[in-house]
Amino acid sequence: GAVVSQHPSRVICKSGTSVKIECRSLDFQATTMFWYRQFPKKSLMLMATSNEGSKATYEQGVEKDKFLINHASLTLSTLTVTSAHPEDSSFYICSARGGFDGGDTQYFGPGTRLTVL
Amino acid sequence: SQQGEEDPQALSIQEGENATMNCSYKTSINNLQWYRQNSGRGLVHLILIRSNEREKHSGRLRVTLDTSKKSSSLLITASRAADTASYFCATDGRGYSTLTFGKGTMLLVSP
């Protein structure tokens, strides 16, 4: 149980375009979803926390107008990278909380590799 | 700086040997979690240990937590080549259900 999926797994786009990444909890309702960014051989950096039906809480230094997060339902959150630039190229991972183990565990999606040309 | 700091940064062992990774953190926590990540993949949750627990087992994994020293260890016994991955500890010291990840330990298990 506690499976989280992400789509797409890999995307290559031109500079200036917008890219949407979906994160779904498949077998549980996620009260909270999180979006992380990871650079090669580095740790995960939390970008934002989103609760279903409310605005996302962004970490310091993360541009909310550039990284739009929508958590429209208890099983779906989306991250849209607007007007993407090469420096936005990264591995984006979502996680969802609210499954088992008292709800403290975060279950992670497989990640989305974004390459902006 | 990172809340969780793993050590060593990289560990190379032979199959069958045990692997021990350590994690230190700075603030008080409710729980500490260990995750595994294969190259280019998402994170797999391994084990959660609460602040009132001292030791927890799951299969070949053994996790200890010493809140007085603000440290945790992950022991993988009888390692296998398939255990090759990066291992991260994560703490909820910031509250609000958010996790702060350490830099990770890269484990290489050679056949």
Side-chain angles (χ1 to χ4, degrees), chain A residues 105-106 108, chain B residues 4-8 19-25 31-37 43-49 56 61-65 71-76 86-91 99 101-105:
Chain A
T105 301
Q106 287 188 27
F108 284 78
Chain B
E5 294 282 345
E6 289 90 341
D7 127 74
T20 300
M21 289 158 267
N22 302 297
C23 168
S24 60
Y25 57 92
N31 65 67
L32 182 146
Q33 304 181 41
W34 283 92
Y35 289 85
R36 164 202 168 116
Q37 183 181 35
L43 273 71
V44 174
H45 181 259
L46 295 177
I47 201 163
L48 178 152
I49 186 165
K56 207 161 180 180
L61 305 180
R62 174 176 166 255
V63 168
T64 64
L65 178 64
S71 68
S72 173
S73 69
L74 170 66
L75 168 67
I76 304 175
S86 289
Y87 292 82
F88 294 91
C89 70
T91 54
L99 292 179
F101 283 81
K103 294 178 182 176
T105 293

Side-chain angles (χ1 to χ4, degrees), chain A residues 32 34 36 38 41-46 49 59 91 93 97 101-102 104-111 113, chain B residues 2 31 33 35 37 40-45 48 50 56 88 94 96-104 106:
Chain A
T32 308
F34 304 85
Y36 295 84
Q38 186 180 33
K41 297 185 180 179
K42 297 289 185 182
S43 187
L44 278 73
M45 278 179 30
L46 179 65
T49 303
E59 293 298 296
F91 193 55
I93 309 177
R97 180 177 172 271
D101 198 13
D104 289 331
T105 301
Q106 287 188 27
Y107 295 93
F108 284 78
R113 173 79 55 197
Chain B
Q2 300 285 122
N31 65 67
Q33 304 181 41
Y35 289 85
Q37 183 181 35
R41 302 292 184 96
L43 273 71
V44 174
H45 181 259
L48 178 152
R50 300 191 187 281
K56 207 161 180 180
F88 294 91
R94 281 185 49 197
Y96 313 112
S97 306
T98 59
L99 292 179
T100 305
F101 283 81
K103 294 178 182 176
M106 289 181 61

Side-chain angles (χ1 to χ4, degrees), chain B residues 14 21 31 49 66 107-108:
Chain B
Q14 299 289 320
M21 289 158 267
N31 65 67
I49 186 165
D66 187 336
L107 174 66
L108 173 64

Side-chain angles (χ1 to χ4, degrees), chain A residues 14-17 66 81-89 114 116-117:
Chain A
K14 292 182 179 178
S15 189
T17 60
K66 180 159 187 66
V81 183
T82 62
S83 187
H85 290 282
E87 57 265 31
D88 298 325
S89 297
L114 170 63
V116 185
L117 303 176

